[in-house]
Amino acid sequence: MRAVSTGAEQVASLLREAERAVILTGAGISVPSGIPDFRSPGTGLWEKVNPMEVAHIDAWRRDPDRFWSFYGERFASLTDKQPNEAHLALAEFERRGLVRALITQNIDRLHRLAGSERLIEVHGSIERSVCLECGSKVSIDRVVELLATSEGAPLCEVCGAPLKPDVVLFGELLPEQALAEAQQLAMDADLMICVGSSLEVYPVAGLPAITHGGGGRLVLITQGPTPYDGDAEVKLDGDVVTELRAVLAAL
Ligand code: ZN
């Protein structure tokens, strides 16, 4: 416990000193909410399918009905999930004026539910689905209703085309504006705290390098190795909830 609290105290003081801190989160922060990281093999929904195939833009284009027979299950598995103490701690940092923004790779909208306000969801969010034909946006609640009342893909109620979840599927580029905002924040940051991400998937994995290259400090709160372990001021590698609870307590 002492080792954890010492590291947590260091993170707390870096946070207090920083003027332009940003947070970057990945799948690991949502694991305690019951959302398995699909990169850990054999977990839940991803047990029997290859996410790179079923959640690929080509799969959606080829056969939206089949795509949604899988993705609808993913929606259903995510809609009842709640933010955990780690999400709440990060929202609290923002409320106290200690961080400027939160960049996340997660699509589960749990940061928003936890109260984070300046949130850049670089992989999109399940909050909405979109019609690529006419540009309509549909809320998750309506999509869930459409999925429950009809077979196959939910259809746009304006033009009848199949909807696409407003998340970045495999094979798709990241939304330009969100990525540009994330890069600008990373460039300006004097501290970046990376939580629950192995920082292996580009372009998001390049954000800490932008901060570090500009003289900003890095903190890692994640289990397992990352490419930035040697650059980080502090690395906390315990459970994210325990670690962030300790940081909050040390503030
Ligand atoms: Zn439409």
Side-chain angles (χ1 to χ4, degrees):
M1 275 316 278
R2 184 162 302 160
V4 168
S5 69
T6 305
E9 279 163 15
Q10 278 178 274
V11 176
S13 71
L14 286 169
L15 258 176
R16 280 192 303 259
E17 286 164 23
E19 287 173 5
R20 298 173 308 280
V22 296
I23 310 273
L24 171 64
T25 71
I29 196 169
S30 293
V31 171
S33 291
I35 302 174
D37 183 352
F38 72 80
R39 284 187 182 79
S40 324
T43 45
L45 202 51
W46 307 104
E47 209 167 342
K48 298 185 195 87
V49 297
N50 175 359
M52 310 271 195
E53 283 170 24
V54 293
H56 198 285
I57 184 66
D58 292 342
W60 180 83
R61 285 199 193 104
R62 206 182 303 125
D63 190 345
D65 290 344
R66 189 153 175 273
F67 170 89
W68 274 100
S69 72
F70 170 77
Y71 219 88
E73 254 186 80
R74 179 150 168 71
F75 263 46
S77 77
L78 291 177
T79 45
D80 63 340
K81 296 295 187 286
Q82 294 303 319
N84 63 58
E85 238 182 291
H87 295 104
L88 296 170
L90 298 183
E92 179 63 20
F93 294 170
E94 186 185 14
R95 250 190 309 274
R96 295 191 191 181
L98 297 166
V99 303
R100 294 178 83 188
L102 195 159
I103 303 161
T104 187
Q105 298 165 274
N106 300 338
I107 59 160
D108 54 34
R109 70 184 178 154
L110 295 186
H111 285 301
R112 201 165 296 284
L113 293 178
S116 284
E117 283 180 11
R118 184 158 182 208
L119 182 61
I120 297 104
E121 295 167 306
V122 286
H123 289 173
S125 164
I126 58 162
E127 190 63 45
R128 297 163 306 276
S129 288
V130 291
C131 173
L132 299 187
E133 293 297 322
C134 75
S136 291
K137 291 189 195 301
V138 185
S139 75
I140 186 169
D141 297 337
R142 184 64 188 140
V143 171
V144 168
E145 283 172 17
L146 292 169
L147 284 168
T149 53
S150 66
E151 299 272 306
L155 302 178
C156 173
E157 293 174 283
V158 178
C159 77
L163 296 174
K164 188 186 94 64
D166 198 12
V167 304
V168 177
L169 299 176
F170 290 102
E172 283 192 299
L173 293 174
L174 267 59
E176 221 169 290
Q177 199 188 331
L179 187 60
E181 191 180 1
Q183 286 167 335
Q184 189 62 51
L185 282 162
M187 213 176 294
D188 295 342
D190 55 359
L191 173 68
M192 178 179 282
I193 302 182
C194 308
V195 183
S197 174
S198 51
L199 300 169
E200 283 168 329
V201 182
Y202 278 83
V204 170
L207 295 173
I210 296 176
T211 298
H212 191 245
R217 289 158 153 179
L218 298 181
V219 166
L220 304 172
I221 305 180
T222 197
Q223 291 173 321
T226 82
Y228 295 100
D229 289 2
D231 298 325
E233 224 49 46
V234 186
K235 177 166 185 189
L236 308 179
D237 59 5
D239 168 74
V240 281
V241 166
T242 311
E243 300 287 15
L244 283 168
R245 186 188 293 149
V247 173
L248 194 57
L251 277 171

